[in-house]
Amino acid sequence: MNLEELRTRLGTTRPAPVVRESAASPEAIPGGMLEQTNRGPCLVVETTRGHEEEHGSHQFMALRGLRPFRIGGVLAGIGQDGPHLERVAYLDTETTGLGYGAGVQVFMVGIGSAEPDGFRVRQFVLRHPGEEPALLLALSEYLSGFDILVSYNGRAFDWPLLENRLILNRVPPLEAQPVHLDLLYLARRLWRARLESCGMSTVEQAILGVDRGSKDVPGYVIPSLYFQFVRTGSLGLLRRILHHNLYDILSLAVLTAHVERVLADPWGGTVSHAVDFYSLGRLYNALGEVDGAVACFETALSHDLPPSIRDEAVLRLAMIEKRRSNWQMALPLFESILDRSQFERIACVELAKYHEHVAREFGPAMQLTDRALRADGRLDRWPGTDRMELLHRKRRLSGRVGNVTPGPSPPS
Amino acid sequence: MNAEQLINQLLEEPDFAASVTAYRALPARDGRYVGFPQALDQRLVDALERRGIHQLYSHQAEAIQHALSGRNPVIVTPTASGKTLCYNVPVVSSIMANSANRALYLFPTKALAQDQLAELQVLVESLGIELRSHTYDGDTPADARRAIRQAGHIVITNPDMLHTAILPHHTRWVRLFENLRYVVIDELHTYRGVFGSHVANVIRRLRRICNFYGSNPQFICCSATIANPAQLASNLIEGDVELVDQNGAPSGPKHVVLFNPPVVDRQLGIRRSAVLTARGIARSFINNGIQSIIFGRTRTAVEILLTYLRADAPDHRRDSIRGYRGGYLPQERRAIERGLRDGTVRAVVSTNALELGIDIGGLDACVLTGYPGTIASAWQQIGRAGRTSASSVAVLVASSTPLDQYVITHPEYIFDSSPETGLINADNLHILLSQIKCAAFELPFRDGDNFGRTDSTASFLEYLTEAGLLHRVQDSWHWMSESFPAEEISLRSASTDNVVIVDYERPTQVIGEIDRLSAPTWVHDEAIYLHGGVQYQVERLDLEEKKAYVRRVDVDYYTDAELAVKVNVLEVMGSDGQARSHGEVSVTYLPTIFKKIKFDSHENVGWGKIHLPEDTMHTRAYWLWLPTEVSERLPLKEVEVGLAGLANVLANLAPLYLMCDPRDLRVWPEVKAPFTGAPTIFLYDSIPGGIGFSTRLYDMHETLLRGAGDLVARCECAQGCPSCVGPQFDGAATSAKLQALRLLDVLLTARPLAVAS
């Protein structure tokens, strides 16, 4: 069966031929060059931003000699002592689709790095899918000069996809895998409470003050722009994608510097929003850095906060103080959220525990347990607020209340 | 009383005996045994011996020998003849020899996969080696998936999962594909028609991927009895196969009875209902404590029988009578299977869902309510009753349809003729196009690559390039689209989407599900949906949300929906220019009304309209028409009655000649079809794209019509009956039987017939 017969049987007609522009020549793209590999040429587009140049509210200067140790520490990827971990690469890819299927290609890989003359971005570009082995070889070669890889969702997406492509093109994997820091994880921790999304476009605007202007294209149209570029050879389309990818990398790099400074000293002027201190408090608390957590929660609470966040900050602070047996601090905090419907149950439970186990005042403990049982229990994620547990507490307390039990003996 | 004694007693009752058209006592068969092949690891032999297996059945040894020698065996033996061992032994043995080796097991359903996993794990445990086998399907938790991809020795899955989850993500399965030694395809006979044609292409894709990673697996196939297992397997895997069909397993004596319910109205040709007859026979089995399985033709029949048998049973037996069919949730099915094995379930009423190799042990008795449509299915179902030494009984109760009546009055058809042919057409245009998309997504094609044995691969690639899905560069064709083709293509039918059935009075309760194509006739608004013997009324069918909202009711009727069908000819691909053609058509279905039918009396007690959109399918058809110079001289009414009658005969007879499942073929008569301008009967493949049934019918036109004439002429009825031209009603102005015979005569002689005065 030939093509003509196939068309007839499928009831379609011959489509209009694609008009091709001249082949994408590297010279036509500023910074473009062809890198030769033993599996063919790969287009590389290089852009350098001077140290003094600005990206949003930051200068690229901030990236000179930056070692994201604190980020690494939080992400538990590297310890605090990593003098050999010098070279940081910022990575972002453009792909022909979402998901990890074998048919999803990585057609552009941008790598940013701080260099003596400024911040340099090298973009490895597939002019057509036949150049994929060359791109992967050139990329592997280039990446071997770096120790740390910083990405935004790269651990879950870009990197596994690149691994797929290596397998598919029989290109050997990198000999030394760089340490991979995925900033998205931290961004979520830091800004989820305040921002609608933690996508790069939202974060760069809200946190870095970056405005891409009208030239930029939204991420979801990129695959179709690329397909059009491959079919028509139109360089205009490619430039728009290059621009988008460049900005993603510039923002990623600057964001890395920003987060590193935030983690180094939240009070150093880098955090301007009270909600962010609350998020930092939660982050430090999760890392077990209790003093830092307390300080952050206290800073957050000394400013205006949305009511639900305020209450949650109070509760979390109270929990820390309780764990440190600092009841003087913890009790008023728990009491202050007793009337908040969302927190009533947990506050009652915690106060009841105090009265039962610390103060040994079973009457009040019983009253608080009853109140907890009446309270709205939707916030069940707190341990100890389960209805069964409350009923168990109540049974135990009613035994104790019935007996003559001494309260704490007054100091004589 | 055991099953044998009971059937002997029944055969002595004159009323019962009068309705028996055939009785065969199949003798007990001794097993034929062979020692373990030399090449087997002694540890494996020891483990089998510990499980009480001291020798192999001859067919097992033969199959294992083929597999160990690098060939592709196809094992065809009855239910419960130890087929599993035929593949587990060579697979486990190869992994014991080299722990890098991998195997892939394909079962048509998730339930069968679970069953096999359990069996495999018992064997592996007794071996005490590290051999990891896992099921990989929609229910596998995400965190377990990574481990399975990396380290699973035997991955047990289904073709759908291979199609959407494994092949398109092959880079995650490098270890499997680099080391794949064996692919096991069980229940081979289910891979026919559209499903089989898709699966053949999935296997082409599998081979491409294996080739990429440097492996070249052997295939081990197991099948129920069909006419052409070796051919089907060879078409499916596109390779040479070795047929193993000499069963060496022993079996107890089996009594098979063909039972034709008595005629209750000779004038109308009405026989006693098969359901009510089966109810009576099953009741005597159940009351005598004989563990039984009762097969129904449809889900409705199963639910009705279940309702009856529960009502008939004494209180203490009621809960041990269970229903089983697609649409029951997995936990419920597992519990019933366990109950059958351990004997707590005494009777199960099932659709053909229990025909497959799900392990329920052997039962004592089996009742088939209606001929299941194919010889292969009939023997699969009969095989459910059977013990290795004790005797068992199977009774086939015929319904009034022409097919059933033909089979029940021609016992040699069941006992002596060859079973059905498994037909696939891997090169069905639509299927192939879809599958080449999936293949191109997985790996770029290169110039000169062929997709399996397709010779026009390059045309398809060019076509997909024009359609903007592929991009050609240098000598390769690359996927260039955001879409994920495997997810958009279902192997089973036009759509895999299921409609979920929700009891809205218990909002969290999903009581079952039904495939999208059946939903309009099964769960339309106001339909009575029977599930587990409980009646529900459908309040609302939401096809967009894919949900049917039902509530429990207690009524004395069930519902039966009707479809209006329109056939448009798209392209004539062959014609004799006078009376027959075949070609491509589009068929439009529109559910119209439903009837309310009373339990027990089965009388029509009301009806309602169905308001749902129409569905369209492109397929292949064969059509025959009357010359207009004849039809114009006949009264319209007579043509109409004759045509409907003839359509009824053909609908039932054609599958017999094709040896296909009746559901794969549909018939539609039109008194004046727009395309021919004449009275026309269309017979079309009920599968998008067609499988080739109608083309074969076109070739056997005359044989088919002669057979139809013979059946109608020989029928005992006066004016026509459900067993030939279809049910006739009192006071019909003309005899359908006579009209159908007259049309047949015109069609066969192709000359104008003298018009009756």
Side-chain angles (χ1 to χ4, degrees):
Chain A
M1 198 181 342
N2 65 30
L3 178 60
E4 199 59 49
E5 286 168 338
L6 192 57
R7 277 202 211 104
T8 313
R9 301 211 22 214
L10 291 166
T12 54
T13 50
R14 186 196 193 99
V18 175
V19 182
R20 273 201 69 86
E21 298 180 13
S22 56
S25 89
E27 297 77 46
I29 300 168
M33 65 193 101
L34 277 188
E35 202 169 302
Q36 294 300 330
T37 74
N38 56 21
R39 290 182 70 179
C42 170
L43 172 61
V44 179
V45 179
E46 195 171 296
T47 311
T48 304
R49 293 287 159 105
H51 296 309
E52 318 296 329
E53 282 186 67
E54 286 176 352
H55 186 70
S57 52
H58 294 64
Q59 284 186 330
F60 290 106
M61 189 81 78
L63 296 166
R64 276 177 94 173
L66 173 73
R67 298 184 198 173
F69 291 148
R70 288 191 172 78
I71 294 173
V74 171
L75 296 175
I78 52 175
Q80 293 289 326
D81 54 346
H84 60 288
L85 296 177
E86 297 265 329
R87 301 268 298 154
V88 184
Y90 302 89
L91 169 135
D92 188 52
T93 67
E94 304 304 328
T95 64
T96 61
L98 299 173
Y100 312 102
V104 180
Q105 293 154 49
V106 182
F107 66 83
M108 186 180 291
V109 185
I111 304 288
S113 60
E115 303 295 334
D117 58 339
F119 187 76
R120 184 204 291 162
V121 177
R122 301 197 89 199
Q123 292 167 294
F124 298 78
V125 183
L126 280 188
R127 290 179 297 176
H128 57 74
E131 290 182 336
E132 196 170 25
L135 179 144
L136 294 169
L137 278 178
L139 177 69
S140 285
E141 165 76 25
Y142 188 62
L143 278 181
S144 66
F146 295 93
D147 310 305
I148 299 176
L149 207 55
V150 179
S151 71
Y152 209 69
N153 199 27
R155 287 184 82 94
F157 184 67
D158 309 55
W159 196 254
L161 213 50
L162 277 169
E163 286 177 330
N164 282 358
R165 304 321 298 175
L166 292 172
I167 294 170
L168 274 159
N169 288 281
R170 304 187 200 280
V171 173
L174 258 60
E175 267 177 38
Q177 291 264 351
V179 172
H180 190 154
L181 305 180
D182 189 335
L183 213 56
L184 175 63
Y185 169 84
L186 261 179
R188 286 211 181 111
R189 289 242 157 186
L190 290 176
W191 300 303
R192 189 170 37 198
R194 177 154 74 87
L195 301 182
E196 242 174 62
S197 100
C198 284
M200 182 55 95
S201 54
T202 310
V203 169
E204 67 178 9
Q205 220 170 8
I207 308 298
L208 306 176
V210 171
D211 177 12
R212 295 199 184 197
S214 55
K215 253 179 84 182
D216 194 56
V217 289
Y220 64 87
V221 302
I222 284 186
S224 59
L225 287 184
Y226 178 67
F227 297 146
Q228 231 179 312
F229 158 71
V230 171
R231 292 195 174 101
T232 64
S234 163
L235 279 182
L237 297 168
L238 184 61
R239 280 202 211 96
R240 293 169 73 183
I241 306 170
L242 282 163
H243 179 266
H244 178 90
N245 178 255
L246 175 68
Y247 264 67
D248 276 350
I249 292 186
L250 297 179
S251 291
L252 172 63
V254 168
L255 188 68
T256 308
H258 178 80
V259 172
E260 186 66 19
R261 279 170 60 201
V262 166
L263 294 177
D265 178 12
W267 293 274
T270 51
V271 180
S272 53
H273 214 287
V275 175
D276 293 355
F277 276 104
Y278 156 77
S279 298
L280 271 166
R282 288 187 62 174
L283 175 63
Y284 283 131
N285 193 26
L287 292 172
E289 289 180 32
V290 178
D291 290 335
V294 168
C296 287
F297 282 133
E298 280 173 348
T299 306
L301 287 169
S302 67
H303 292 83
D304 276 342
L305 285 172
S308 63
I309 289 186
R310 160 168 299 276
D311 295 341
E312 189 137 355
V314 168
L315 176 65
R316 287 175 184 279
L317 184 55
M319 289 293 213
I320 295 175
E321 297 296 8
K322 176 197 97 168
R323 270 201 306 277
R324 303 206 281 196
S325 304
N326 194 350
W327 290 104
Q328 224 173 338
M329 296 293 289
L331 289 179
L333 288 169
F334 281 126
E335 277 158 10
S336 75
I337 52 170
L338 262 179
D339 295 333
R340 304 289 198 277
S341 58
Q342 277 221 316
F343 299 91
E344 181 177 0
R345 192 176 250 197
I346 179 66
C348 284
V349 168
E350 292 302 334
L351 289 169
K353 283 188 198 165
Y354 166 78
H355 284 293
E356 182 184 352
H357 301 301
V358 182
R360 303 190 67 76
E361 298 157 350
F362 302 127
M366 186 72 169
Q367 283 164 11
L368 283 158
T369 305
D370 276 333
R371 185 173 169 186
L373 278 166
R374 286 193 307 271
D376 188 351
R378 269 174 299 182
L379 204 74
D380 275 343
R381 61 198 162 105
W382 298 101
T385 59
D386 178 81
R387 197 171 169 80
M388 294 309 293
E389 282 184 62
L390 289 179
L391 290 171
H392 179 72
R393 179 180 301 280
K394 185 172 170 176
R395 257 196 317 279
R396 189 177 61 220
L397 280 168
S398 54
R400 290 188 165 188
V401 173
N403 296 336
V404 183
T405 37
S409 35
S412 43
Chain B
M1 190 162 3
N2 70 24
E4 187 174 10
Q5 290 161 334
L6 180 68
I7 198 71
N8 285 333
Q9 184 183 319
L10 285 172
L11 286 168
E12 278 166 24
E13 292 174 13
D15 277 355
F16 187 91
S19 294
V20 171
T21 61
Y23 161 67
R24 297 268 176 109
L26 309 180
R29 223 198 14 225
D30 293 332
R32 282 185 293 131
Y33 302 92
V34 176
F36 293 103
Q38 291 289 312
L40 282 192
D41 191 305
Q42 190 57 42
R43 288 173 296 166
L44 182 53
V45 174
D46 292 344
L48 291 171
E49 298 231 355
R50 277 197 297 279
R51 292 183 59 208
I53 301 168
H54 303 288
Q55 282 177 306
L56 294 171
Y57 297 140
S58 55
H59 65 275
Q60 291 175 327
E62 195 186 342
I64 292 167
Q65 198 57 57
H66 282 309
L68 292 176
S69 318
R71 293 183 286 266
N72 303 319
V74 179
I75 300 114
V76 187
T77 49
T79 321
S81 56
K83 272 185 289 199
T84 318
L85 219 56
C86 297
Y87 49 80
N88 278 343
V89 166
V91 166
V92 170
S93 159
S94 81
I95 296 168
M96 288 173 77
N98 178 356
S99 71
N101 282 340
R102 296 288 187 269
L104 183 68
Y105 284 18
L106 294 179
F107 292 92
T109 67
K110 284 194 277 190
L112 285 166
Q114 287 297 341
D115 211 39
Q116 288 305 317
L117 176 68
E119 178 151 356
L120 191 57
Q121 282 175 342
V122 171
L123 176 65
V124 169
E125 267 165 40
S126 66
L127 270 171
I129 57 166
E130 199 188 348
L131 189 157
R132 288 170 300 269
S133 52
H134 305 275
T135 55
Y136 194 83
D137 56 38
D139 302 338
T140 309
D143 48 348
R145 294 188 173 205
R146 188 172 303 122
I148 298 169
R149 289 195 295 251
Q150 282 301 315
H153 285 107
I154 301 177
V155 177
I156 306 173
T157 186
N158 53 61
D160 312 81
M161 201 69 186
L162 183 61
H163 159 65
T164 53
I166 299 178
L167 293 175
H169 295 102
H170 60 88
T171 51
R172 314 262 125 178
W173 294 86
V174 175
R175 295 284 288 277
L176 176 74
F177 290 118
E178 278 180 347
N179 301 291
L180 193 59
R181 287 276 291 117
Y182 288 108
V183 177
V184 170
I185 303 178
D186 202 348
E187 310 288 349
L188 173 79
H189 60 282
T190 60
Y191 300 121
R192 55 203 175 101
V194 79
F195 185 40
S197 305
H198 266 299
V199 173
N201 280 289
V202 172
I203 288 169
R204 288 170 166 177
R205 285 158 56 197
L206 172 68
R207 282 194 187 273
R208 278 184 93 218
I209 303 289
C210 287
N211 186 44
F212 178 79
Y213 291 102
S215 64
N216 182 21
Q218 281 170 251
F219 289 78
I220 304 176
C221 303
C222 294
S223 173
T225 307
I226 53 172
N228 61 337
Q231 186 196 33
L232 177 62
S234 163
N235 286 342
L236 195 74
I237 68 170
E238 297 192 324
D240 294 333
V241 299
E242 303 293 333
L243 183 64
V244 177
D245 61 356
Q246 296 302 309
N247 182 15
S251 65
K254 178 175 285 178
H255 304 269
V256 182
V257 173
L258 304 195
F259 191 94
N260 200 6
V263 173
V264 290
D265 183 331
R266 183 156 294 275
Q267 184 64 23
L268 299 182
I270 296 174
R271 290 180 181 274
R272 188 156 191 267
S273 124
V275 168
L276 293 176
T277 308
R279 170 192 188 173
I281 296 172
R283 184 173 48 209
S284 39
F285 285 133
I286 294 168
N287 288 350
N288 282 284
I290 295 165
Q291 200 185 18
S292 309
I293 180 163
I294 300 97
F295 285 103
R297 277 286 280 143
T298 63
R299 293 173 275 201
T300 317
V302 163
E303 290 295 342
I304 292 171
L305 265 169
L306 179 62
T307 310
Y308 288 161
L309 290 175
R310 285 230 179 111
D312 294 347
D315 283 348
H316 68 280
R317 284 234 167 90
R318 205 155 288 157
D319 287 341
S320 68
I321 303 172
R322 307 291 295 268
Y324 189 105
R325 61 174 172 82
Y328 281 22
L329 298 173
Q331 313 87 290
E332 196 178 349
R333 294 217 226 174
R334 295 299 90 74
I336 296 168
E337 290 158 20
R338 265 197 312 278
L340 284 165
R341 285 193 298 266
D342 65 26
T344 51
V345 171
R346 300 305 302 164
V348 64
V349 189
S350 173
T351 57
N352 59 359
L354 270 182
E355 196 179 293
L356 296 173
I358 292 168
D359 180 15
I360 53 171
L363 307 180
D364 300 307
C366 165
V367 178
L368 281 63
T369 313
Y371 176 63
T374 66
I375 298 175
S377 286
W379 283 108
Q380 285 269 97
Q381 297 189 356
I382 290 170
R384 277 305 189 186
R387 308 277 193 191
T388 49
S389 53
S391 61
S392 62
V393 171
V395 182
L396 165 61
V397 179
S399 74
S400 313
T401 66
L403 181 56
D404 278 39
Q405 286 305 308
Y406 179 89
V407 167
I408 210 81
T409 53
H410 297 77
E412 70 282 1
Y413 180 75
I414 274 215
F415 288 112
D416 306 320
S417 70
S418 136
E420 290 71 22
T421 307
L423 271 186
I424 58 170
N425 175 13
D427 291 333
N428 168 298
L429 197 61
H430 300 272
I431 293 176
L432 186 57
L433 186 69
S434 303
Q435 291 286 341
I436 288 183
K437 281 188 210 172
C438 298
F441 178 92
E442 286 152 9
L443 279 178
F445 277 91
R446 285 184 187 285
D447 281 355
D449 280 0
N450 260 342
F451 185 53
R453 290 178 178 168
T454 313
D455 52 8
S456 25
T457 308
S459 302
F460 282 89
L461 297 175
E462 285 172 48
Y463 180 85
L464 291 171
T465 305
E466 278 186 359
L469 292 171
L470 299 186
H471 181 71
R472 186 182 174 162
V473 58
Q474 290 144 7
D475 64 343
S476 339
W477 313 74
H478 297 264
W479 185 251
M480 264 286 148
S481 162
E482 279 181 84
S483 62
F484 185 92
E487 230 158 50
E488 294 158 11
I489 294 158
S490 148
L491 304 185
R492 309 259 176 180
S493 65
S495 135
T496 45
D497 297 343
N498 278 343
V499 170
V500 176
I501 298 158
V502 187
D503 183 348
Y504 76 92
E505 290 173 334
R506 298 168 185 77
T508 52
Q509 206 159 346
V510 171
I511 56 174
E513 53 189 19
I514 188 161
D515 64 282
R516 167 66 184 78
L517 284 179
S518 306
T521 44
W522 256 70
V523 289
H524 56 80
D525 294 3
E526 292 184 71
I528 297 297
Y529 172 75
L530 295 166
H531 187 106
V534 178
Q535 299 173 324
Y536 297 86
Q537 184 165 44
V538 179
E539 286 293 308
R540 191 164 62 83
L541 170 62
D542 186 337
L543 281 176
E544 255 169 45
E545 285 285 311
K546 301 198 178 60
K547 280 193 177 124
Y549 298 93
V550 303
R551 66 186 171 86
R552 280 180 94 131
V553 289
D554 186 12
V555 292
D556 63 352
Y557 66 90
Y558 61 96
T559 52
D560 184 24
E562 288 188 2
L563 284 173
V565 177
K566 229 167 33 196
V567 182
N568 287 317
V569 175
L570 303 175
E571 192 195 346
V572 178
M573 297 167 71
S575 178
D576 71 352
Q578 295 178 25
R580 61 176 165 140
S581 292
H582 72 101
E584 295 195 359
V585 297
S586 79
V587 183
T588 309
Y589 302 90
L590 181 67
T592 50
I593 60 157
F594 63 93
K595 290 181 290 192
K596 298 180 176 177
I597 297 168
K598 203 167 175 200
F599 281 118
D600 296 310
S601 74
H602 294 195
E603 66 189 298
N604 198 331
V605 292
W607 66 282
K609 280 192 174 160
I610 304 175
H611 304 277
L612 284 171
E614 57 182 29
D615 282 328
T616 300
M617 170 176 81
H618 287 243
T619 183
R620 295 281 182 86
Y622 146 65
W623 60 98
L624 46 101
W625 67 93
L626 287 174
T628 37
E629 64 266 26
V630 176
S631 60
E632 277 165 4
R633 289 163 56 197
L634 293 171
L636 184 66
K637 189 70 202 167
E638 291 181 9
V639 174
E640 197 178 307
V641 169
L643 208 61
L646 182 54
N648 193 66
V649 179
L650 294 179
N652 286 282
L653 208 56
L656 210 71
Y657 284 101
L658 284 173
M659 299 197 284
C660 74
D661 189 313
R663 282 166 294 197
D664 291 344
L665 195 75
R666 299 284 158 88
V667 176
W668 185 249
E670 266 184 274
V671 174
K672 187 164 180 167
F675 188 77
T676 57
T680 306
I681 297 174
F682 291 94
L683 288 93
Y684 58 90
D685 295 17
S686 64
I687 289 160
I691 285 305
F693 297 130
S694 52
T695 317
R696 283 186 51 182
L697 286 175
Y698 173 82
D699 292 336
M700 56 170 83
H701 177 78
E702 209 176 304
T703 320
L704 179 68
L705 294 187
R706 289 200 190 286
D710 190 46
L711 189 142
V712 178
R714 284 224 234 152
C715 188
E716 292 170 33
C717 67
Q719 304 286 310
C721 73
S723 306
C724 57
V725 294
Q728 301 301 311
F729 299 100
D730 274 341
T734 178
S735 154
K737 194 169 175 177
L738 192 69
Q739 297 306 335
L741 282 171
R742 176 146 69 171
L743 297 189
L744 274 166
D745 197 38
V746 173
L747 286 163
L748 278 167
T749 54
R751 65 182 157 77
L753 186 84
V755 177
S757 50

